Amino acid sequence: MVYTTGSQLGFNGCVATGSTTVNDISTKATLKGEALRSAILDVAATLFIERGTGGTSIQDIAEALGLSRTAVYYYFKNKEQIQQSLTEEVLSAARKLAGDTVARDDLDPVTALRALVTQHADLILSRPAEFRVADRTEADLSPKQRISVQNARRNVLENFSHVIERGIREGVFRMVDAHVAAFSLIGMCNWSAWWYKPEGRLDRANVAEIMADMAVNSLLREAARRPEVPDVRESLRLVREDLDYLEKLVLSDSK
């Protein structure tokens, strides 16, 4: 696989584009520190997706970057540690972002949901290869790693569900199954790891904003149906309005 420079990493590094060959530049000379570690992860992610973790060796990763195995071992002691970094780190970041947003008392449900979707989508759009690996190679993880990944995903789902449920209680979101709605919105974000192209017409901030708008607008109640004050009395007022309207329709049809 040929690895050329690309915008996924934010530096002149490594994005898969073809069949396997050694990079035609000295990666070792141009990449150092965290940049080289990121390059190793990006190349490993592409190879894991293409060949599976069982079909990828440290030697394969090193050759794709024009490095020696020793250089790769300097950053990762084995292939399993690379896989762990690719899966656990990005999902832990997603969990922290969602948890920090839900913990904020100053955000109303609409603002909180917009923030949840925007930051989750932006994280995926900025690290798509890692999300693809987490999605495709979970079966190859150790039991401990698999539990960690599943817990992170569950926590993100719970935070999305919590915000949606709060919006329903306060009358700003429609009556929906909060769990299903949360799954749907997270799925919309996750799928972007497969179709988003950094060199495309819109940058990732624009794409994340579009997804956040879609998420909020899919759940908002009509303006006239949102209670002025989210309490029982206001909800009863809306119910009485509905009953009065229904009565008029029934009486009108019976004449």
Side-chain angles (χ1 to χ4, degrees), residues 53-75:
T53 53
T56 303
S57 67
I58 291 289
Q59 183 65 37
D60 293 331
I61 297 168
E63 286 182 359
L65 282 164
L67 298 173
S68 67
R69 282 186 300 172
T70 303
V72 177
Y73 283 130
Y74 178 81
Y75 292 93

Side-chain angles (χ1 to χ4, degrees), residues 131-254:
F131 273 92
R132 293 198 298 270
V133 169
D135 181 58
R136 284 290 179 90
T137 67
E138 185 173 329
D140 297 329
L141 297 174
S142 69
K144 183 178 179 181
Q145 290 173 336
R146 194 176 303 121
I147 289 172
S148 176
V149 165
Q150 290 171 348
N151 285 341
R153 285 178 173 151
R154 187 178 301 112
N155 188 262
V156 171
L157 176 65
E158 289 171 353
N159 281 312
F160 270 72
S161 298
H162 174 77
V163 168
I164 294 170
E165 286 171 352
R166 183 159 68 93
I168 293 170
R169 286 197 308 271
E170 295 183 12
V172 293
F173 291 155
R174 296 184 295 109
M175 290 294 296
V176 297
D177 185 298
H179 204 63
V180 172
F183 261 125
S184 300
L185 300 185
I186 293 169
M188 174 180 68
C189 295
N190 289 350
W191 183 239
S192 67
W194 299 95
W195 58 257
Y196 176 67
K197 304 296 183 207
E199 69 277 8
R201 183 169 50 86
L202 299 174
D203 63 26
R204 73 177 199 241
N206 293 136
V207 174
E209 184 180 359
I210 289 170
M211 284 196 270
D213 283 338
M214 292 175 64
V216 170
N217 289 327
S218 71
L219 292 176
L220 275 180
R221 293 179 76 182
E222 297 176 28
R225 304 296 303 149
R226 294 175 211 160
E228 297 174 5
V229 181
D231 61 13
V232 174
R233 288 185 179 181
E234 181 65 10
S235 296
L236 285 173
R237 181 186 68 79
L238 292 172
V239 170
R240 290 191 187 99
E241 283 185 3
D242 288 341
L243 288 172
D244 289 342
Y245 180 65
L246 180 60
E247 184 179 16
K248 286 182 180 180
L249 289 178
V250 171
L251 291 176
S252 157
D253 289 343
S254 64

